[in-house]
Amino acid sequence: MGDKKPYLAVLLVQSIYGGMFMLSKAAFNGGMNNYVFVFYRQAAATLFLAPFAFYFEWKNRPTLSFVTFCKIFFLSLFGISLCLDIFGIGIVYASATLAAAISNCLPVVTFFLALLLRMEVLKLRSVSGIAKIVGIIACIAGAITLALYKGPHFNLLCLHHLFESHNSHGIVSHVPSSQTRIKGCFLLFVSNILWGLWLVLQGQVLKDYPSKLLFITLQCFLSTIQLFAIAIGFERDPREWELGWNVRLLAVAYCGIVVTGVTFYLQAWIIEKKGPVFLAMSTPVTLVFTMFFSAILLCEIITLGSVLGGLMLVAGLYSVLWGKSKEEKMNDAKCLKAEVDKERSELKQVVPVETKGPSLV
């Protein structure tokens, strides 16, 4: 059973993300303002994480310099606040299935950004380098297909609406128009770029402030303040800020506590047991989960363009991950060979000394 735990955990993580896409879409379909939703989500995450951060890491916290604080502030602004707000607008224009499909390009986007920042290396003449290039091209082709091509529609059994589709802005429909679909895909792709940039840059900031839980909690707190300023600027009607015992409260609690809190621990545990590549390779599970249940519970229409674009994104993801894995294995083999050669050279220097007999005088 112990060997199966990482597989069960990764399925749970991806199903949680699938639930996030569906509940977010259901809340927006119900007329909830996306800026208000994202603010409440981060506020819930801050309240959930703060007690654990203070209990486990406050006593041994590192010194927080002004420069490091500024880095964390801007990391929160671009990687969390703007990323989530743009994602919210994108999913309003598009669908939960499109959001889940485009999330498959996140590892590819992250690699490309790391390449631009010279944190990754691309060897064009190697098989691994060619695989990475093919993956990036497939990712771009998948995103374009999602945005521009609809194709035939597939209707699955619609059992129940989580929330009726009425929106004061008149954006939401079960089959988004071409213009709306393009806007949604573009915004979702931009949010993935910001998310990827956040993943790349936070590794550098963690070197200055290594307390991971306090680091995440501080980012949640700062993003809550930032998101409140944005939300109050766009929505000042008190009625739009009301939650009530409905899908709005459920979506806020789920995204703030379950997504931010539970998946944070589970992903760290999975990476420790199986590595980051194993976690990234499970991303397509979210697409399958979201596509199936959003069609049944939200009555979303699945199009051929969504399926083909999603398959291209998945293919691009696996191509980049395969190239990355092969490159790491080659580097490990080179390091091992270098260590063996070093040990042999040291042994050759030691053996003659040890076997040298006493001099005959």
Side-chain angles (χ1 to χ4, degrees):
M1 182 66 184
D3 295 336
K4 295 180 181 178
K5 284 182 179 179
Y7 296 92
L8 295 174
V10 83
L11 287 175
L12 178 59
V13 166
Q14 300 305 338
S15 63
I16 287 173
Y17 278 124
M20 177 192 73
F21 292 128
M22 288 192 298
L23 282 174
S24 299
K25 182 63 176 177
F28 298 147
N29 283 1
M32 187 173 189
N33 184 281
N34 61 284
Y35 300 108
V36 175
F37 170 79
V38 174
F39 159 70
Y40 277 135
R41 168 184 171 170
Q42 286 306 105
T46 303
L47 292 173
F48 178 78
L49 289 173
F52 296 100
F54 278 99
Y55 181 79
F56 289 108
E57 294 187 352
W58 183 254
K59 290 182 179 179
N60 301 318
R61 67 188 184 279
T63 304
L64 181 63
S65 65
F66 177 74
V67 175
T68 303
F69 176 80
C70 290
K71 289 179 181 179
I72 296 174
F73 178 86
F74 285 107
L75 199 62
S76 305
L77 177 62
F78 290 99
I80 298 179
S81 300
L82 293 180
C83 174
L84 290 178
D85 271 340
I86 292 172
F87 169 81
I89 301 170
I91 202 172
V92 167
Y93 279 107
S95 65
T97 300
L98 283 175
I102 292 177
S103 69
N104 283 279
C105 73
L106 177 62
V108 181
V109 169
T110 305
F111 166 76
F112 186 71
L113 291 171
L115 188 65
L116 291 178
L117 295 171
R118 297 184 178 180
M119 299 170 67
E120 284 282 350
V121 179
L122 182 63
K123 299 176 182 178
L124 295 176
R125 295 183 179 180
S126 65
V127 177
S128 60
I130 294 172
K132 290 176 181 179
I133 290 293
V134 170
I136 292 172
I137 294 172
C139 177
I140 295 171
I144 293 172
T145 303
L146 283 172
L148 301 179
Y149 178 65
K150 283 186 181 180
H153 298 163
F154 303 101
N155 293 312
L156 296 183
L157 178 64
C158 178
L159 297 179
H160 180 63
H161 288 265
L162 283 182
F163 211 92
E164 291 298 325
S165 294
H166 62 276
N167 192 301
S168 59
H169 301 289
I171 295 172
V172 177
S173 62
H174 293 303
V175 185
S177 64
S178 297
Q179 187 177 5
T180 301
R181 185 187 182 93
I182 292 171
K183 287 181 182 178
C185 289
F186 174 76
L187 291 170
L188 289 170
F189 192 71
V190 170
S191 73
N192 273 271
I193 292 174
L194 290 172
W195 193 2
L197 193 62
W198 176 73
L199 291 172
V200 171
L201 294 180
Q202 72 172 331
Q204 301 297 317
V205 182
L206 274 169
K207 293 178 181 178
D208 300 326
Y209 198 78
S211 294
K212 295 182 181 65
L213 195 53
L214 278 172
F215 175 69
I216 290 294
T217 305
L218 181 58
Q219 285 190 88
C220 287
F221 174 70
L222 290 174
S223 63
T224 300
I225 298 172
Q226 294 161 357
L227 288 164
F228 177 76
I230 296 171
I232 203 70
F234 281 94
E235 187 57 72
R236 298 185 181 182
D237 185 358
R239 290 174 297 182
E240 292 296 326
W241 291 75
E242 296 175 359
L243 291 176
W245 295 98
N246 50 33
V247 73
R248 297 186 181 193
L249 180 61
L250 176 63
V252 166
Y254 181 88
C255 293
I257 297 174
V258 180
V259 174
T260 305
V262 177
T263 56
F264 171 78
Y265 171 79
L266 284 176
Q267 286 180 123
W269 183 82
I270 291 166
I271 290 171
E272 181 184 358
K273 296 292 182 183
K274 289 286 187 177
V277 174
F278 175 79
L279 179 62
M281 288 183 70
S282 66
T283 308
V285 175
T286 302
L287 173 59
V288 176
F289 180 91
T290 307
M291 184 179 291
F292 180 76
F293 285 102
S294 63
I296 294 176
L297 299 177
L298 294 177
C299 297
E300 288 187 352
I301 303 298
I302 299 174
T303 64
L304 181 61
S306 298
V307 176
L308 292 177
L311 289 174
M312 289 181 189
L313 289 172
V314 172
L317 165 69
Y318 282 131
S319 182
V320 170
L321 290 176
W322 182 84
K324 179 70 176 172
S325 177
K326 188 173 181 62
E327 194 175 75
E328 288 176 351
K329 288 179 180 178
M330 291 174 64
N331 290 336
D332 291 341
K334 287 179 181 179
C335 291
L336 183 61
K337 187 177 183 300
E339 289 179 3
V340 171
D341 292 341
K342 185 179 178 181
E343 289 178 359
R344 284 179 178 176
S345 63
E346 289 176 352
L347 193 60
K348 287 178 181 178
Q349 293 175 359
V350 173
V351 169
V353 175
E354 291 179 347
T355 57
K356 188 177 181 180
S359 59
L360 298 175
V361 180

